[in-house]
Amino acid sequence: MDQLKSIIDQCDATDARLVAVSKTKPNSAILTLYDEGQRIFGENRVQELVGKYENLPKDIKWHMIGHLQSKKVKYIAPFVSMIHAVDSEKLLLEINKRASQHERTIPVLLQFHIAEESTKYGLELNEAATMLEHLSWEALSGVQIAGVMGMATFTSDIDQVRREFRSLKNIFDHLKSNFFADDPLFKEISMGMSGDYQVALEEGSTMVRIGSLLFGSR
Ligand SMILES: *Cc1c(COP(=O)(O)O)cnc(C)c1O
């Protein structure tokens, strides 16, 4: 698929990775990209994610990219490769607990609110800093905080989108130097979707989450 190759080439240029967002799409569509070599897929609903995990090749790395309720963590803890949208201490602790039950360490990203829109989930920098200061998070062996995630405002104003991505990069840099300076695994900035991934890559994204551009509109 030319679209896939083009996106991968753009990601490779800055050492970023592609999460193919397959939500609402059938297994057959996922297998088409799988056959092209894509291995990281993203979903935003727990039930759908579990079903696809059970029915598709086991070397797929499944990323949970959407808002996640604490009570549903247990269903994905056995297999999920990364959880992108951690926006509370409660959720972080639940992931730690469930991962530990499976003797796993799950990489997670802290989701930040960078958009002007008030509908999107996410932490503010000061909330995250407070959480990281008071958690004995080094003892949380079931989670590995691997970086940050955010969604820009849905707008055609590229300058605004760029500002918002830049603010997420600044948040990443701040957390890196204040909390994770000695942790090489804190390295991910998950930002960029079908409409804005090129701007995101220019602003330092290490992981773009792309759905409709690969699979067609939903
Ligand atoms: C759906 C979704 C995407 C992909 O959106 P597209 O515009 O289809 O590329 C990325 N991130 C999250 C969190 C999503 O829910």
Side-chain angles (χ1 to χ4, degrees):
M1 198 192 226
D2 289 347
Q3 189 66 270
L4 177 66
K5 191 179 178 316
S6 156
I7 294 169
I8 300 260
D9 283 349
Q10 293 172 71
C11 287
D12 282 350
T14 53
D15 241 349
R17 280 175 298 154
L18 168 65
V19 178
V21 178
S22 49
K23 62 190 186 194
T24 78
K25 299 297 176 184
N27 292 346
S28 57
I30 295 173
L31 284 172
T32 300
L33 289 198
Y34 179 89
D35 289 342
E36 302 282 328
Q38 179 65 22
R39 288 295 179 273
I40 308 176
F41 290 88
E43 292 282 335
N44 70 341
R45 291 191 195 283
V46 165
Q47 207 180 347
E48 189 175 345
L49 175 53
V50 170
K52 286 175 173 172
Y53 164 72
E54 286 170 352
N55 290 300
L56 286 162
K58 289 296 175 282
D59 62 340
I60 288 179
K61 294 188 189 314
W62 292 103
H63 286 208
M64 176 65 192
I65 62 169
H67 182 68
L68 178 60
Q69 288 174 279
S70 295
K71 65 179 185 190
K72 296 193 175 170
V73 170
K74 59 175 177 281
Y75 302 114
I76 62 172
F79 67 89
V80 73
S81 286
M82 182 174 273
I83 296 176
H84 282 235
V86 174
D87 61 356
S88 72
E89 183 175 328
K90 182 182 172 208
L91 179 58
L92 187 70
L93 295 177
E94 178 67 11
I95 296 168
N96 178 62
K97 175 179 149 188
R98 297 297 180 180
S100 301
Q101 288 175 347
H102 295 279
E103 294 176 353
R104 299 190 68 215
T105 298
I106 299 178
V108 304
L109 305 179
L110 300 178
Q111 181 178 11
F112 286 89
H113 182 262
I114 55 169
E116 252 171 29
E117 295 157 331
S118 58
T119 53
K120 303 241 162 100
Y121 295 100
L123 296 157
E124 303 293 335
L125 176 56
N126 58 356
E127 277 180 278
T130 304
M131 182 172 100
L132 293 172
E133 270 157 21
H134 99 263
L135 275 177
S136 56
W137 52 270
E138 280 167 316
L140 297 178
S141 62
V143 287
Q144 179 235 313
I145 301 178
V148 301
M149 177 268 203
M151 291 166 85
T153 303
F154 187 70
T155 171
S156 57
D157 182 346
I158 296 285
D159 293 335
Q160 179 178 351
V161 169
R162 191 179 293 284
R163 273 199 307 279
E164 293 175 357
F165 285 150
R166 208 163 275 180
S167 77
L168 187 61
K169 172 70 162 75
N170 287 336
I171 288 169
F172 171 85
D173 289 342
H174 180 91
L175 296 180
K176 181 79 188 169
S177 56
N178 283 277
F179 298 98
F180 299 98
D182 301 324
D183 182 356
L185 296 177
F186 185 87
K187 61 182 169 59
E188 304 292 356
I189 304 176
S190 167
M191 61 184 185
M193 304 172 31
S194 290
D196 55 22
Y197 76 95
Q198 284 159 326
V199 182
L201 289 172
E202 287 166 13
E203 297 302 328
S205 173
T206 66
M207 254 184 213
V208 294
R209 310 176 309 270
I210 297 183
S212 44
L213 205 55
L214 288 168
F215 292 103
S217 60
R218 286 179 298 271

